[in-house]
Amino acid sequence: MPTPIRLQLRTNDPANILGPFIQNYREHLEEGRYKPRHFRRCIAVVVHFGQWLRAEGHAVNSIDETIVGRFLSEHCIPPA
């Protein structure tokens, strides 16, 4: 039996490069009254992005549109 997606999503990573920003993002989502399923996925994406940034050797202050675009196009979206 496959593991449900909600159990696969990592939403906590204290050592994550984006860790200092995740709590503020959680609060933003809570204030926006997002549905719990959507909320969990949003946090998991931020955690995953932080893991990718660290693996690629990027610092938080180096994040720009190019890096975000690269993460999305090369890492998250499968080639056509």
Side-chain angles (χ1 to χ4, degrees):
M1 180 174 181
T3 304
I5 190 74
R6 66 183 168 73
L7 298 177
Q8 295 175 20
L9 299 175
R10 187 170 185 183
T11 59
N12 189 20
D13 181 6
N16 194 288
I17 192 171
L18 296 176
F21 307 99
I22 292 174
Q23 183 58 37
N24 287 340
Y25 188 52
R26 282 181 200 274
E27 292 168 9
H28 170 75
L29 293 173
E30 288 171 354
E31 290 169 7
R33 299 183 183 142
Y34 287 85
K35 293 180 182 179
R37 188 177 98 193
H38 185 73
F39 175 93
R40 186 172 176 79
R41 287 184 180 181
C42 289
I43 297 296
V45 168
V46 172
V47 169
H48 187 62
F49 183 47
Q51 293 168 334
W52 180 83
L53 287 169
R54 175 163 287 160
E56 292 293 311
H58 296 293
V60 171
N61 62 358
S62 72
I63 300 171
D64 60 15
E65 288 182 29
T66 302
I67 290 174
V68 172
R70 190 169 147 236
F71 172 73
L72 294 173
S73 67
E74 295 178 12
H75 185 72
C76 293
I77 300 172

